[in-house]
Coordinates of all heavy atoms in Angstrom, one line a residue:
M346 N 47.9 -45.0 -26.6 CA 46.8 -45.5 -25.7 C 45.5 -45.2 -26.4 O 45.2 -44.1 -26.9 CB 46.8 -44.8 -24.4 CG 46.0 -45.4 -23.3 SD 46.0 -44.6 -21.7 CE 47.7 -45.0 -21.1
E347 N 44.6 -46.2 -26.5 CA 43.3 -46.0 -27.1 C 42.4 -45.2 -26.2 O 42.6 -45.1 -25.0 CB 42.7 -47.4 -27.4 CG 43.4 -48.2 -28.4 CD 42.7 -49.5 -28.6 OE1 41.4 -49.6 -28.4 OE2 43.4 -50.5 -29.0
E348 N 41.4 -44.6 -26.8 CA 40.5 -43.7 -26.1 C 39.8 -44.4 -24.9 O 39.7 -43.9 -23.8 CB 39.4 -43.1 -27.1 CG 38.5 -42.1 -26.4 CD 39.3 -40.9 -25.9 OE1 40.3 -40.5 -26.5 OE2 39.0 -40.3 -24.8
K349 N 39.4 -45.7 -25.1 CA 38.8 -46.4 -24.0 C 39.7 -46.6 -22.9 O 39.3 -46.4 -21.7 CB 38.3 -47.8 -24.6 CG 37.6 -48.6 -23.5 CD 37.2 -49.9 -24.1 CE 36.5 -50.8 -23.0 NZ 36.1 -52.1 -23.5
E350 N 41.0 -46.9 -23.2 CA 42.0 -47.0 -22.1 C 42.3 -45.7 -21.4 O 42.4 -45.7 -20.2 CB 43.3 -47.6 -22.7 CG 43.2 -49.0 -23.2 CD 44.5 -49.4 -23.9 OE1 45.1 -48.6 -24.6 OE2 44.8 -50.6 -23.8
K351 N 42.3 -44.6 -22.1 CA 42.5 -43.3 -21.5 C 41.4 -43.0 -20.6 O 41.6 -42.5 -19.5 CB 42.6 -42.2 -22.6 CG 43.9 -42.3 -23.4 CD 43.9 -41.2 -24.4 CE 45.1 -41.2 -25.3 NZ 45.1 -40.2 -26.4
K352 N 40.1 -43.3 -21.0 CA 39.0 -43.0 -20.2 C 39.0 -43.8 -18.9 O 38.8 -43.3 -17.8 CB 37.7 -43.3 -21.0 CG 36.4 -42.9 -20.2 CD 35.2 -43.2 -21.1 CE 34.0 -43.0 -20.3 NZ 32.8 -43.3 -21.0
A353 N 39.3 -45.1 -19.0 CA 39.4 -46.0 -17.9 C 40.5 -45.5 -16.9 O 40.3 -45.5 -15.7 CB 39.6 -47.4 -18.3
Y354 N 41.6 -45.1 -17.5 CA 42.7 -44.6 -16.6 C 42.3 -43.4 -15.9 O 42.6 -43.2 -14.7 CB 44.0 -44.4 -17.5 CG 45.2 -43.9 -16.7 CD1 45.9 -44.8 -16.0 CD2 45.5 -42.6 -16.7 CE1 47.0 -44.4 -15.3 CE2 46.6 -42.2 -16.0 CZ 47.4 -43.1 -15.2 OH 48.4 -42.7 -14.5
R355 N 41.7 -42.4 -16.5 CA 41.3 -41.2 -15.9 C 40.3 -41.4 -14.8 O 40.3 -40.8 -13.7 CB 40.7 -40.2 -16.9 CG 41.7 -39.5 -17.8 CD 41.0 -38.4 -18.5 NE 39.9 -38.8 -19.3 CZ 39.9 -39.1 -20.6 NH1 41.1 -39.1 -21.3 NH2 38.8 -39.5 -21.3
K356 N 39.4 -42.4 -15.0 CA 38.4 -42.7 -13.9 C 38.8 -43.7 -12.9 O 38.1 -44.0 -12.0 CB 37.1 -43.2 -14.6 CG 36.4 -42.1 -15.4 CD 35.1 -42.7 -15.9 CE 34.2 -41.6 -16.4 NZ 32.9 -42.2 -16.8
R357 N 40.0 -44.2 -13.1 CA 40.5 -45.3 -12.3 C 39.6 -46.5 -12.3 O 39.4 -47.2 -11.3 CB 40.8 -44.9 -10.9 CG 41.9 -43.8 -10.8 CD 42.2 -43.6 -9.4 NE 43.7 -43.5 -9.3 CZ 44.4 -43.8 -8.3 NH1 43.8 -44.2 -7.2 NH2 45.7 -43.7 -8.3
E358 N 39.1 -46.8 -13.5 CA 38.2 -47.9 -13.7 C 39.1 -49.0 -14.3 O 40.1 -48.8 -15.0 CB 37.1 -47.6 -14.7 CG 36.1 -46.7 -14.1 CD 35.0 -46.3 -15.2 OE1 35.1 -46.8 -16.3 OE2 34.2 -45.5 -14.8
F359 N 38.8 -50.2 -14.0 CA 39.5 -51.4 -14.5 C 38.7 -52.1 -15.5 O 37.4 -52.2 -15.4 CB 40.1 -52.2 -13.4 CG 41.0 -51.5 -12.5 CD1 40.6 -50.9 -11.4 CD2 42.4 -51.4 -12.9 CE1 41.5 -50.1 -10.6 CE2 43.3 -50.7 -12.1 CZ 42.9 -50.1 -11.0
T360 N 39.3 -52.7 -16.5 CA 38.5 -53.4 -17.5 C 38.3 -54.9 -17.2 O 37.7 -55.6 -18.0 CB 39.3 -53.3 -18.8 OG1 40.6 -53.9 -18.6 CG2 39.4 -51.9 -19.3
A361 N 38.7 -55.3 -16.0 CA 38.4 -56.7 -15.6 C 37.7 -56.6 -14.2 O 37.9 -55.7 -13.4 CB 39.7 -57.5 -15.5
P362 N 36.9 -57.6 -13.9 CA 36.3 -57.7 -12.5 C 37.4 -57.8 -11.5 O 38.5 -58.4 -11.7 CB 35.5 -59.0 -12.6 CG 35.3 -59.3 -14.0 CD 36.5 -58.7 -14.7
R363 N 37.1 -57.3 -10.3 CA 38.1 -57.2 -9.2 C 38.7 -58.6 -8.9 O 39.9 -58.8 -8.7 CB 37.5 -56.6 -8.0 CG 38.4 -56.7 -6.7 CD 39.6 -55.8 -7.0 NE 40.6 -55.8 -5.9 CZ 41.7 -56.6 -5.8 NH1 42.0 -57.4 -6.8 NH2 42.5 -56.5 -4.8
A364 N 37.9 -59.7 -9.0 CA 38.4 -61.0 -8.6 C 39.4 -61.5 -9.6 O 40.1 -62.5 -9.4 CB 37.2 -62.0 -8.6
E365 N 39.5 -60.9 -10.8 CA 40.5 -61.3 -11.8 C 41.7 -60.5 -11.8 O 42.7 -60.7 -12.5 CB 39.8 -61.2 -13.2 CG 38.7 -62.2 -13.4 CD 38.1 -62.0 -14.7 OE1 38.6 -61.4 -15.6 OE2 37.0 -62.6 -14.9
I366 N 41.8 -59.5 -10.9 CA 43.0 -58.6 -10.8 C 43.8 -59.1 -9.6 O 43.5 -59.0 -8.5 CB 42.6 -57.1 -10.6 CG1 41.7 -56.7 -11.8 CG2 43.9 -56.3 -10.5 CD1 41.1 -55.3 -11.6
D367 N 45.0 -59.7 -10.0 CA 45.8 -60.3 -9.0 C 46.7 -59.3 -8.3 O 47.9 -59.2 -8.6 CB 46.7 -61.4 -9.7 CG 47.3 -62.3 -8.7 OD1 46.8 -62.5 -7.5 OD2 48.3 -62.9 -9.0
W368 N 46.1 -58.4 -7.5 CA 46.8 -57.4 -6.8 C 46.2 -57.3 -5.4 O 45.0 -57.1 -5.3 CB 46.8 -56.1 -7.5 CG 47.7 -55.0 -6.9 CD1 48.9 -54.7 -7.2 CD2 47.4 -54.2 -5.7 NE1 49.5 -53.8 -6.4 CE2 48.5 -53.5 -5.5 CE3 46.3 -54.1 -4.9 CZ2 48.6 -52.6 -4.4 CZ3 46.4 -53.2 -3.8 CH2 47.5 -52.4 -3.6
Y369 N 47.0 -57.4 -4.4 CA 46.6 -57.2 -3.0 C 47.8 -57.1 -2.1 O 48.9 -57.5 -2.5 CB 45.6 -58.4 -2.6 CG 46.1 -59.8 -3.0 CD1 47.1 -60.4 -2.2 CD2 45.7 -60.3 -4.2 CE1 47.5 -61.7 -2.6 CE2 46.2 -61.6 -4.5 CZ 47.1 -62.2 -3.7 OH 47.5 -63.5 -4.1
P370 N 47.6 -56.7 -0.9 CA 48.7 -56.6 0.0 C 49.2 -57.9 0.5 O 48.5 -58.9 0.5 CB 48.1 -55.8 1.2 CG 46.7 -56.1 1.2 CD 46.3 -56.3 -0.2
T371 N 50.5 -57.9 0.9 CA 51.0 -59.1 1.5 C 51.8 -58.7 2.8 O 52.1 -57.5 3.0 CB 52.1 -59.8 0.6 OG1 53.1 -58.9 0.3 CG2 51.4 -60.3 -0.7
I372 N 51.9 -59.6 3.7 CA 52.6 -59.3 5.0 C 53.8 -60.3 5.1 O 53.7 -61.5 4.9 CB 51.7 -59.5 6.2 CG1 50.6 -58.5 6.1 CG2 52.5 -59.4 7.5 CD1 49.6 -58.6 7.3
K373 N 55.0 -59.7 5.3 CA 56.2 -60.5 5.6 C 56.1 -61.0 7.0 O 56.4 -60.2 7.9 CB 57.4 -59.7 5.3 CG 57.6 -59.4 3.8 CD 58.9 -58.6 3.6 CE 59.0 -58.3 2.1 NZ 60.1 -57.4 1.9
E374 N 55.6 -62.2 7.2 CA 55.4 -62.7 8.6 C 56.6 -62.5 9.5 O 56.4 -62.2 10.7 CB 54.9 -64.1 8.5 CG 54.4 -64.6 9.8 CD 53.8 -66.0 9.7 OE1 53.3 -66.4 8.6 OE2 53.8 -66.7 10.7
E375 N 57.8 -62.7 9.0 CA 59.0 -62.7 9.8 C 59.2 -61.2 10.3 O 59.9 -61.0 11.3 CB 60.2 -63.2 9.1 CG 60.7 -62.5 7.9 CD 59.9 -62.7 6.6 OE1 59.0 -63.5 6.6 OE2 60.3 -62.1 5.6
Q376 N 58.7 -60.2 9.6 CA 58.9 -58.8 10.0 C 57.7 -58.3 10.8 O 57.9 -57.2 11.5 CB 59.1 -58.0 8.8 CG 60.4 -58.3 8.0 CD 60.6 -57.4 6.8 OE1 59.7 -56.8 6.3 NE2 61.8 -57.4 6.3
C377 N 56.6 -58.9 10.8 CA 55.4 -58.4 11.5 C 55.7 -58.5 13.0 O 56.1 -59.5 13.6 CB 54.2 -59.2 11.2 SG 52.7 -58.7 12.1
Q378 N 55.5 -57.3 13.7 CA 55.8 -57.2 15.1 C 54.4 -57.2 15.9 O 54.4 -57.0 17.1 CB 56.6 -56.0 15.5 CG 58.0 -56.0 14.8 CD 58.8 -57.1 15.3 OE1 59.0 -57.2 16.5 NE2 59.4 -57.9 14.4
G379 N 53.3 -57.3 15.2 CA 52.0 -57.3 15.9 C 51.5 -56.0 16.4 O 50.7 -56.0 17.3
C380 N 51.9 -54.9 15.7 CA 51.5 -53.6 16.2 C 50.0 -53.3 15.8 O 49.4 -52.4 16.4 CB 52.3 -52.5 15.6 SG 52.2 -52.3 13.8
K381 N 49.4 -54.1 14.9 CA 48.0 -53.9 14.5 C 47.7 -52.7 13.7 O 46.5 -52.4 13.4 CB 47.0 -54.0 15.7 CG 47.0 -55.3 16.4 CD 45.9 -55.3 17.5 CE 45.8 -56.5 18.2 NZ 44.7 -56.5 19.2
L382 N 48.7 -51.9 13.3 CA 48.4 -50.6 12.6 C 47.7 -50.9 11.3 O 46.8 -50.2 10.9 CB 49.6 -49.8 12.5 CG 50.2 -49.2 13.8 CD1 51.5 -48.5 13.6 CD2 49.1 -48.3 14.4
C383 N 48.2 -51.9 10.5 CA 47.5 -52.2 9.2 C 46.1 -52.7 9.5 O 45.2 -52.3 8.8 CB 48.4 -53.2 8.5 SG 48.6 -54.8 9.3
Y384 N 45.9 -53.5 10.4 CA 44.6 -54.1 10.8 C 43.6 -53.0 11.1 O 42.5 -52.9 10.7 CB 44.8 -55.1 11.9 CG 43.5 -55.5 12.6 CD1 42.7 -56.5 11.9 CD2 43.2 -55.1 13.8 CE1 41.5 -56.9 12.5 CE2 42.0 -55.5 14.4 CZ 41.2 -56.4 13.8 OH 40.0 -56.9 14.4
E385 N 44.1 -52.0 12.0 CA 43.2 -51.0 12.4 C 43.0 -49.9 11.3 O 41.9 -49.3 11.3 CB 43.8 -50.3 13.6 CG 43.8 -51.2 14.8 CD 44.6 -50.7 16.0 OE1 45.4 -49.7 15.8 OE2 44.6 -51.3 17.1
F386 N 44.0 -49.7 10.4 CA 43.9 -48.7 9.4 C 42.9 -49.1 8.3 O 42.2 -48.3 7.8 CB 45.3 -48.4 8.8 CG 45.2 -47.6 7.6 CD1 45.1 -46.2 7.7 CD2 45.3 -48.1 6.3 CE1 45.1 -45.4 6.6 CE2 45.2 -47.3 5.2 CZ 45.1 -46.0 5.3
C387 N 42.9 -50.3 7.9 CA 42.1 -50.8 6.7 C 40.6 -50.8 6.9 O 40.1 -51.6 7.6 CB 42.6 -52.2 6.3 SG 41.8 -52.7 4.8
F388 N 40.0 -49.9 6.2 CA 38.5 -49.7 6.3 C 37.8 -50.8 5.5 O 36.6 -51.0 5.7 CB 38.0 -48.3 5.9 CG 38.2 -48.1 4.4 CD1 37.1 -48.3 3.5 CD2 39.4 -47.6 3.9 CE1 37.3 -48.1 2.2 CE2 39.5 -47.3 2.5 CZ 38.5 -47.6 1.7
K389 N 38.5 -51.5 4.6 CA 37.9 -52.6 3.8 C 38.0 -54.0 4.6 O 37.6 -55.0 4.1 CB 38.6 -52.7 2.5 CG 38.5 -51.5 1.6 CD 37.0 -51.2 1.2 CE 36.8 -52.0 -0.1 NZ 35.4 -51.8 -0.6
K390 N 38.6 -54.0 5.7 CA 38.8 -55.2 6.6 C 39.5 -56.3 5.8 O 39.1 -57.5 5.9 CB 37.4 -55.7 7.1 CG 36.6 -54.6 7.8 CD 37.3 -54.2 9.0 CE 36.5 -53.1 9.8 NZ 37.3 -52.3 10.6
V391 N 40.6 -56.0 5.1 CA 41.4 -56.9 4.4 C 42.2 -57.8 5.4 O 42.4 -59.0 5.1 CB 42.4 -56.2 3.5 CG1 43.4 -57.2 2.8 CG2 41.6 -55.5 2.4
Y392 N 42.5 -57.3 6.6 CA 43.3 -58.0 7.5 C 42.5 -58.6 8.7 O 41.5 -58.0 9.1 CB 44.4 -57.1 8.1 CG 45.3 -56.4 7.1 CD1 45.0 -55.1 6.7 CD2 46.3 -57.1 6.6 CE1 45.8 -54.5 5.8 CE2 47.2 -56.5 5.6 CZ 46.9 -55.2 5.2 OH 47.7 -54.6 4.3
D393 N 43.0 -59.6 9.3 CA 42.6 -60.1 10.6 C 43.8 -60.1 11.5 O 44.9 -60.1 11.0 CB 41.9 -61.5 10.6 CG 40.4 -61.4 10.3 OD1 39.8 -60.3 10.4 OD2 39.9 -62.5 10.0
F394 N 43.6 -60.2 12.8 CA 44.7 -60.3 13.7 C 44.6 -61.6 14.4 O 43.6 -61.9 15.0 CB 44.7 -59.1 14.7 CG 46.0 -59.1 15.5 CD1 47.2 -58.5 15.0 CD2 46.0 -59.5 16.8 CE1 48.3 -58.5 15.7 CE2 47.2 -59.5 17.5 CZ 48.3 -59.0 17.0
D395 N 45.7 -62.4 14.3 CA 45.7 -63.7 14.9 C 46.2 -63.6 16.3 O 47.4 -63.3 16.5 CB 46.6 -64.6 14.1 CG 46.6 -66.1 14.5 OD1 46.3 -66.3 15.7 OD2 46.8 -67.0 13.7
E396 N 45.4 -63.8 17.3 CA 45.8 -63.6 18.7 C 46.8 -64.7 19.1 O 47.5 -64.5 20.1 CB 44.5 -63.7 19.6 CG 43.6 -62.5 19.5 CD 44.3 -61.2 19.9 OE1 45.2 -61.2 20.7 OE2 43.9 -60.1 19.5
T397 N 46.8 -65.8 18.5 CA 47.7 -66.9 18.8 C 49.1 -66.5 18.4 O 50.0 -66.7 19.2 CB 47.3 -68.2 18.1 OG1 46.0 -68.5 18.4 CG2 48.2 -69.4 18.5
T398 N 49.3 -66.1 17.2 CA 50.7 -65.7 16.7 C 51.0 -64.3 17.0 O 52.1 -63.9 16.8 CB 50.8 -66.0 15.2 OG1 49.9 -65.1 14.5 CG2 50.5 -67.4 14.8
K399 N 50.0 -63.5 17.3 CA 50.2 -62.0 17.6 C 50.7 -61.3 16.3 O 51.5 -60.5 16.3 CB 51.1 -61.7 18.7 CG 50.7 -62.3 20.0 CD 49.4 -61.7 20.6 CE 49.1 -62.2 21.9 NZ 47.7 -62.2 22.3
K400 N 50.1 -61.7 15.1 CA 50.5 -61.1 13.9 C 49.2 -60.9 13.0 O 48.2 -61.6 13.1 CB 51.4 -62.1 13.1 CG 52.7 -62.3 13.8 CD 53.6 -63.1 13.0 CE 54.9 -63.4 13.8 NZ 55.9 -62.4 13.6
A401 N 49.3 -59.8 12.2 CA 48.3 -59.6 11.2 C 48.4 -60.5 10.1 O 49.5 -61.0 9.8 CB 48.4 -58.1 10.8
K402 N 47.3 -60.8 9.4 CA 47.3 -61.6 8.2 C 46.3 -61.1 7.2 O 45.2 -60.6 7.6 CB 47.2 -63.1 8.5 CG 45.9 -63.5 9.2 CD 45.9 -65.0 9.5 CE 44.6 -65.4 10.2 NZ 44.5 -66.8 10.4
V403 N 46.5 -61.3 6.0 CA 45.6 -60.9 4.9 C 44.6 -62.1 4.8 O 45.0 -63.2 4.5 CB 46.4 -60.7 3.6 CG1 45.4 -60.4 2.5 CG2 47.4 -59.6 3.7
V404 N 43.3 -61.8 5.0 CA 42.3 -62.8 4.9 C 41.3 -62.5 3.9 O 40.5 -63.4 3.5 CB 41.6 -63.0 6.3 CG1 42.6 -63.7 7.3 CG2 41.0 -61.8 6.8
R405 N 41.1 -61.3 3.4 CA 40.2 -60.9 2.4 C 40.9 -60.1 1.3 O 40.7 -58.9 1.2 CB 39.0 -60.1 3.0 CG 38.1 -61.0 3.9 CD 37.1 -60.2 4.6 NE 37.6 -59.5 5.8 CZ 37.9 -60.1 6.9 NH1 37.7 -61.3 7.1 NH2 38.4 -59.4 7.9
P406 N 41.9 -60.7 0.6 CA 42.7 -60.0 -0.3 C 42.0 -59.2 -1.4 O 42.4 -58.1 -1.8 CB 43.7 -61.1 -0.9 CG 42.9 -62.3 -0.7 CD 42.1 -62.2 0.6
Y407 N 40.9 -59.8 -1.9 CA 40.2 -59.1 -3.0 C 39.2 -58.1 -2.5 O 38.5 -57.5 -3.4 CB 39.6 -60.2 -3.9 CG 40.6 -61.0 -4.6 CD1 40.9 -62.3 -4.2 CD2 41.3 -60.4 -5.7 CE1 41.9 -63.0 -4.9 CE2 42.3 -61.1 -6.3 CZ 42.6 -62.4 -5.9 OH 43.6 -63.1 -6.6
E408 N 39.2 -57.8 -1.2 CA 38.5 -56.6 -0.7 C 39.3 -55.4 -0.8 O 38.8 -54.3 -0.8 CB 38.0 -56.9 0.7 CG 36.9 -57.9 0.8 CD 35.7 -57.5 0.1 OE1 35.2 -56.4 0.2 OE2 35.1 -58.4 -0.6
C409 N 40.6 -55.6 -0.9 CA 41.6 -54.4 -1.0 C 41.3 -53.6 -2.3 O 41.1 -54.2 -3.4 CB 43.0 -55.0 -1.0 SG 44.2 -53.6 -0.9
V410 N 41.4 -52.3 -2.2 CA 41.2 -51.5 -3.3 C 42.5 -51.6 -4.2 O 43.6 -51.5 -3.6 CB 41.1 -50.0 -2.8 CG1 41.0 -49.0 -4.0 CG2 39.8 -49.9 -1.9
V411 N 42.3 -51.8 -5.4 CA 43.4 -52.0 -6.3 C 44.3 -50.8 -6.3 O 43.8 -49.6 -6.4 CB 43.0 -52.3 -7.8 CG1 44.1 -52.4 -8.7 CG2 42.2 -53.6 -7.8
L412 N 45.6 -51.0 -6.2 CA 46.6 -50.0 -6.1 C 46.6 -49.2 -4.8 O 47.4 -48.2 -4.7 CB 46.6 -49.1 -7.3 CG 46.8 -49.8 -8.7 CD1 46.7 -48.8 -9.8 CD2 48.0 -50.6 -8.8
C413 N 45.9 -49.5 -3.8 CA 45.9 -48.9 -2.5 C 47.2 -49.3 -1.8 O 47.5 -50.5 -1.8 CB 44.7 -49.2 -1.7 SG 44.7 -48.5 0.0
S414 N 47.9 -48.4 -1.2 CA 49.0 -48.8 -0.4 C 49.0 -48.0 0.9 O 50.1 -47.7 1.5 CB 50.3 -48.6 -1.2 OG 50.4 -47.2 -1.6
G415 N 47.9 -47.6 1.3 CA 47.7 -46.7 2.5 C 48.2 -47.4 3.7 O 48.7 -46.7 4.7
C416 N 48.2 -48.7 3.8 CA 48.6 -49.3 5.1 C 50.1 -49.4 5.1 O 50.7 -49.5 6.2 CB 48.0 -50.7 5.2 SG 48.3 -51.8 3.8
A417 N 50.8 -49.5 4.0 CA 52.3 -49.7 4.0 C 53.0 -48.6 4.8 O 53.9 -49.0 5.6 CB 52.8 -49.7 2.5
P418 N 52.7 -47.3 4.6 CA 53.5 -46.4 5.4 C 53.1 -46.3 6.9 O 53.9 -45.8 7.7 CB 53.2 -45.0 4.7 CG 52.0 -45.2 3.9 CD 51.9 -46.7 3.6
K419 N 52.0 -47.0 7.2 CA 51.7 -47.0 8.7 C 52.5 -48.0 9.4 O 52.7 -47.9 10.6 CB 50.2 -47.5 8.8 CG 49.2 -46.6 8.1 CD 49.0 -45.3 8.8 CE 48.0 -44.5 8.1 NZ 48.2 -43.1 8.3
C420 N 53.1 -49.0 8.7 CA 53.8 -50.1 9.4 C 55.2 -49.6 9.7 O 56.0 -49.2 8.9 CB 54.0 -51.3 8.4 SG 54.9 -52.7 9.2
P421 N 55.6 -49.6 11.0 CA 56.9 -49.2 11.4 C 58.0 -50.2 11.2 O 59.2 -50.0 11.4 CB 56.7 -48.9 12.9 CG 55.6 -49.8 13.3 CD 54.7 -49.9 12.2
H422 N 57.6 -51.4 10.8 CA 58.6 -52.5 10.6 C 58.7 -52.9 9.2 O 59.3 -53.7 8.8 CB 58.2 -53.7 11.5 CG 57.9 -53.4 12.9 ND1 58.8 -53.0 13.8 CD2 56.7 -53.2 13.5 CE1 58.2 -52.7 14.9 NE2 57.0 -52.8 14.8

């Protein structure tokens, strides 16, 4: 690993703008039970809750912090 890469890794900096990093949460719609835990947990407001379908959905994917998976263990389904 080059020194620049090591430094970026240590600081958790990325070498590309966030909009170019194709990483964000997804929701398996068939498994969503509408508990809202991911929606309520996410401080970056990545999710919205659709009152019609009673399911959470990802609406601001690139607001998600890269490599964050804090919402995943919150989901009981």
Side-chain angles (χ1 to χ4, degrees):
M346 192 180 292
E347 292 181 28
E348 188 59 36
K349 183 179 178 182
E350 292 172 325
K351 287 180 185 177
K352 183 179 177 183
Y354 182 77
R355 283 193 304 266
K356 289 186 169 186
R357 295 189 138 209
E358 293 175 358
F359 295 94
T360 56
R363 175 62 181 101
E365 294 177 13
I366 301 171
D367 194 26
W368 188 94
Y369 44 83
T371 57
I372 295 176
K373 293 179 182 175
E374 192 173 331
E375 67 279 0
Q376 291 181 345
C377 180
Q378 300 294 308
C380 68
K381 294 187 180 182
L382 291 175
C383 59
Y384 169 76
E385 293 168 352
F386 171 81
C387 184
F388 69 94
K389 298 294 272 183
K390 306 297 181 205
V391 172
Y392 305 98
D393 269 349
F394 189 78
D395 187 331
E396 291 295 336
T397 305
T398 63
K399 302 293 186 204
K400 295 181 184 275
K402 61 182 181 176
V403 178
V404 292
R405 289 173 284 283
Y407 291 103
E408 291 298 315
C409 187
V410 176
V411 175
L412 303 178
C413 176
S414 59
C416 57
K419 303 288 181 202
C420 181
H422 310 289

